[in-house]
């Protein structure tokens, strides 16, 4: 029987690439999304991967979403916490709501999803949790104290939960992408993007499928001895 994975924010950008990579690995994938029903439907039609709508920042919604996935597809063996938002601004311009929104979704979503699946993984003695951090959680970034704090928190969350899961066959790891060629990065002004690329030793943006292949490895049986680790995938921009 195929393993079942939930990929949060799994219908667009890096999340879509992760959903497809796991499907190619023979895993049954449920792609979570938060907002755009039309785009989610188009994703399902294009990929054959079923999309499920809930807010990862809502503790009860995550529990109910996982319960629905398990009723329809089977026990969840893998969770990829990819969902995230930005609400950028310097601290003088950042409102409390901008802070709370990013922490609630980007970091709180990891807790909510892990809490929903961890008991089952532990009882079955097998599980994979992969959290998507960021280079900006490692190095910081001007105008992103909320985002950097949330992503940095993800790296600490990963190391702590890994210690709880290790003896039960549940691994917990993170990937910290650098600048990836997605719609969000494409929206950056051309002159700014040129300066960003100039700081990347390999001389280009990353590709979503490259991040997805790293996730696929961490979700595999071959990665059973890897836990509490953060894999930096940033083209050498920040060596951590």
């Amino acid at each position: 029987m195929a393993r079942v994975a939930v990929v949060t924010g799994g219908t667009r950008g890096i999340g879509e690439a992760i959903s497809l990579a796991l499907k190619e690995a023979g895993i049954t994938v449920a792609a979570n999304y938060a907002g755009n029903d039309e785009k989610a439907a188009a994703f399902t039609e294009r990929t054959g991967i079923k999309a499920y709508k809930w807010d990862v920042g809502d503790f009860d919604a995550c529990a109910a979403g996982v319960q629905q996935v398990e009723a329809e597809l089977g026990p969840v063996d893998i969770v990829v916490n990819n969902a995230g938002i930005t609400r950028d601004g310097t601290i003088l311009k950042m409102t409390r709501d901008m802070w709370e929104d990013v922490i609630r979704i980007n970091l709180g979503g990891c807790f909510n999803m892990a809490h929903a699946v961890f008991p089952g993984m532990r009882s079955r003695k097998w599980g994979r949790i992969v959290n998507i951090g960021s280079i900006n959680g490692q190095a910081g970034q001007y105008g992103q104290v909320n985002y950097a704090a949330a992503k940095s928190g993800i790296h600490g969350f990963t190391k702590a939960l890994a210690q709880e899961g290790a003896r039960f066959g549940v691994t917990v790891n993170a990937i910290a992408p650098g600048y990836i060629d997605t719609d969000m990065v494409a929206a950056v002004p051309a002159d700014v993007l040129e300066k960003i690329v100039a700081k990347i030793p390999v001389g280009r943006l990353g590709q979503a499928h490259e991040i997805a292949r790293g996730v696929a490895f961490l979700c595999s049986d071959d990665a059973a001895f890897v836990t509490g680790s953060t894999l930096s995938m940033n083209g050498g921009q920040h060596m951590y």
Side-chain angles (χ1 to χ4, degrees), residues 102-161:
V102 170
I103 299 297
R104 182 181 72 86
I105 293 173
N106 295 18
L107 181 56
C110 291
F111 170 79
N112 295 339
M113 289 300 301
H115 193 277
V117 301
F118 199 80
M121 291 179 176
R122 174 175 156 152
S123 67
R124 294 188 299 274
K125 300 294 191 292
W126 199 97
R128 299 286 185 267
I129 297 174
V130 180
N131 303 312
I132 305 301
S134 171
I135 185 175
N136 292 343
Q138 297 173 316
Q141 178 60 44
Y142 182 92
Q144 283 196 327
V145 294
N146 50 4
Y147 186 83
K151 292 298 187 177
S152 180
I154 285 173
H155 300 310
F157 173 89
T158 296
K159 294 178 186 299
L161 187 59

Side-chain angles (χ1 to χ4, degrees), residues 57-124:
D58 184 321
F59 180 84
D60 292 333
C62 288
V66 168
Q67 186 175 33
Q68 181 185 0
V69 170
E70 292 194 326
E72 297 181 9
L73 303 180
V76 172
D77 304 295
I78 297 164
V79 166
V80 182
N81 286 309
N82 168 74
I85 62 170
T86 56
R87 298 286 186 269
D88 295 349
T90 61
I91 197 164
L92 295 180
K93 296 180 180 179
M94 186 173 292
T95 66
R96 184 69 190 190
D97 285 345
M98 292 165 70
W99 170 269
E100 295 286 358
D101 287 348
V102 170
I103 299 297
R104 182 181 72 86
I105 293 173
N106 295 18
L107 181 56
C110 291
F111 170 79
N112 295 339
M113 289 300 301
H115 193 277
V117 301
F118 199 80
M121 291 179 176
R122 174 175 156 152
S123 67
R124 294 188 299 274

